[in-house]
């Protein structure tokens, strides 16, 4: 919609404790992980409803984990990924 391309990558990185991540602090405030089982629990799934001044509205997924919320483009990609990985459960 805004002229950008996003390419999600799904990978098994092995034990997360062995990884050293160096995210750009201008773009990433915090890194956290969510197990697949957590994402599949209904109590950790939600939706945010947006309404525009024009009356147009839309709904986007949200995934909850304590103080963390996965929302926006990340939540959309997560939802699409869950639909592909576990089609009968999500």
């Amino acid at each position: 919609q805004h002229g950008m391309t996003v390419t999600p990558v799904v990978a098994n990185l092995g034990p997360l404790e062995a990884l050293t991540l160096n995210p750009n602090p201008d773009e990433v405030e915090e890194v956290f992980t969510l197990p697949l089982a957590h994402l599949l629990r209904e109590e950790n799934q939600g939706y945010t409803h947006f309404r525009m001044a024009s009356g147009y509205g839309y709904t986007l997924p949200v995934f909850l984990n304590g103080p963390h919320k996965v929302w926006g483009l990340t939540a959309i990609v997560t939802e699409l990924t869950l639909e592909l990985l576990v089609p009968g459960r999500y």
Side-chain angles (χ1 to χ4, degrees), residues 23-64:
N24 181 337
D26 294 331
E27 296 182 11
V28 178
E29 184 175 327
E30 184 177 0
V31 174
F32 62 95
T33 61
L34 291 172
L36 183 60
H38 180 90
L39 292 169
L40 292 173
R41 284 196 216 75
E42 284 188 34
E43 63 267 20
N44 300 325
Q45 303 167 7
Y47 290 91
T48 300
H49 306 285
F50 295 92
R51 298 218 184 273
M52 309 286 280
S54 64
Y56 173 77
Y58 57 97
T59 302
L60 295 177
V62 175
F63 295 91
L64 309 170

Side-chain angles (χ1 to χ4, degrees), residues 2-34:
H2 299 289
M4 71 173 108
T5 301
V6 176
T7 305
V9 176
V10 177
N12 182 346
L13 301 174
L16 297 177
E17 299 78 20
L19 294 178
T20 301
L21 302 174
N22 297 306
N24 181 337
D26 294 331
E27 296 182 11
V28 178
E29 184 175 327
E30 184 177 0
V31 174
F32 62 95
T33 61
L34 291 172

